[in-house]
Amino acid sequence: MLNKWLCVLCAVVVVLLTGSPVDGFLSEYQDELASVSVEAMREITVSWNANSVLNGLYNGRILSQIGDATVQMRIRDEYVAELLGNERDRLSESCAEFLEEYYAFYRTMWGVDLRNCMREAYQDLEYDRLDRFRPQASSVQRIMKTATYQTVRTLSMSDIFDQESIRDKLTDELQSYRSTWESYETTLQEELERHDDTVTGTMRRMNLCIDRALVYQQVDVEVIEEEIETNCDDRARKTSK
């Protein structure tokens, strides 16, 4: 029985859309609704592509900054390892053991400090990728796609003999889609512009984090140099007291 009524409804819709001149306005509304949908989907695609480019550039800046910091840390790490190896024979056994333990511990901490900087930057990157633009674009995509079948949907919920009511409903629906797109079009542009503030904040925080990590590492390197220079003399005196 349900299938029978669905077939009747479909037949009525076809007649209304393609049949009598009296109801030719249905085709006009459908054309306008489809046009709004096509225009919106085209502009959304353009905006989405622009956002993808911004995400890529953002990722590249983070990688470049982290890459530079990693190189600096590795250079200092290699310097300490070489220094300990070259000076091993002239150090006392206790001093050499102490420095090896000190170096191993702080080498781990250097990696932790830099990974924390990366983790914070990654969280910002994920926010920018998932929360800044995508929800708005996905939402308007879902809405605007429905415009292509809005005429049929309106007819399915209307008294097919009340032509004026159908016309009024379609007029309202068309205006609603246009207003929705105008609003989202502005929103998407604002979301694209908001990207710069996100990047600026991320790079500022990451630079501070990296600078702090490099300072900590340099301080540790200088301590190791001093201990080597004195053969852990100060530590030995404190131990003997």
Side-chain angles (χ1 to χ4, degrees):
M1 188 69 176
L2 177 61
N3 289 337
K4 175 182 177 181
W5 282 110
L6 287 175
C7 290
V8 172
L9 175 61
C10 290
V12 171
V13 169
V14 170
V15 171
L16 286 172
L17 286 174
T18 62
S20 67
V22 174
D23 293 316
F25 73 89
L26 294 174
S27 295
E28 295 177 4
Y29 275 105
Q30 181 56 40
D31 288 344
E32 291 191 58
L33 286 163
S35 178
V36 170
S37 177
V38 169
E39 177 187 356
M41 297 305 295
R42 181 172 57 246
E43 293 301 320
I44 293 169
T45 300
V46 170
S47 296
W48 204 295
N49 290 339
N51 188 65
S52 295
V53 171
L54 292 176
N55 289 148
L57 293 173
Y58 185 20
N59 187 69
R61 289 188 63 179
I62 290 175
L63 286 176
S64 177
Q65 196 71 15
I66 290 293
D68 289 344
T70 301
V71 169
Q72 292 185 58
M73 277 203 166
R74 285 175 178 171
I75 290 174
R76 292 175 180 176
D77 178 60
E78 291 170 1
Y79 163 74
V80 172
E82 184 177 354
L83 182 63
L84 289 173
N86 293 338
E87 299 294 332
R88 180 67 176 80
D89 291 341
R90 79 172 189 84
L91 297 174
S92 66
E93 189 66 28
S94 62
C95 181
E97 290 178 359
F98 164 72
L99 289 176
E100 287 295 339
E101 292 176 2
Y102 184 95
Y103 170 54
F105 173 74
Y106 279 100
R107 189 173 190 266
T108 299
M109 296 306 299
W110 300 338
V112 170
D113 289 341
L114 195 56
R115 283 198 301 275
N116 286 338
C117 298
M118 296 180 189
R119 187 175 296 109
E120 291 176 5
Y122 172 73
Q123 290 172 349
D124 286 354
L125 184 64
E126 280 293 273
Y127 165 79
D128 187 71
R129 185 176 70 86
L130 299 176
D131 297 331
R132 177 185 50 79
F133 174 89
R134 187 184 295 266
Q136 300 289 351
S138 297
S139 177
V140 70
Q141 272 187 329
R142 288 192 298 270
I143 293 172
M144 297 311 297
K145 283 180 180 179
T146 63
T148 57
Y149 55 83
Q150 183 58 50
T151 300
V152 174
R153 184 166 65 178
T154 299
L155 288 173
S156 70
M157 297 183 293
S158 301
D159 179 356
I160 62 173
F161 300 107
D162 192 340
Q163 179 175 297
E164 288 306 311
S165 175
I166 294 173
R167 186 190 296 272
D168 290 342
K169 289 179 181 178
L170 289 174
T171 298
D172 291 342
E173 292 292 347
L174 180 59
Q175 183 56 46
S176 176
Y177 280 110
R178 284 172 174 165
S179 298
T180 296
W181 171 235
E182 288 174 2
S183 175
Y184 270 101
E185 186 176 24
T186 300
T187 298
L188 293 183
Q189 184 57 42
E190 290 174 347
E191 290 294 318
L192 291 176
E193 293 171 354
R194 197 157 64 88
H195 171 79
D196 288 343
D197 291 337
T198 301
V199 174
T200 298
T202 297
M203 301 310 296
R204 181 178 63 252
R205 289 189 296 273
M206 189 170 67
N207 287 337
L208 290 173
C209 185
I210 289 175
D211 288 345
R212 184 167 56 248
L214 291 174
V215 167
Y216 290 161
Q217 186 191 33
Q218 183 59 36
V219 169
D220 294 334
V221 171
E222 291 173 359
V223 169
I224 292 174
E225 289 175 328
E226 183 178 351
E227 294 288 1
I228 291 174
E229 183 66 27
T230 64
N231 196 14
C232 304
D233 185 55
D234 290 341
R235 180 174 175 274
R237 285 200 298 268
K238 290 177 181 178
T239 303
S240 65
K241 289 181 180 180

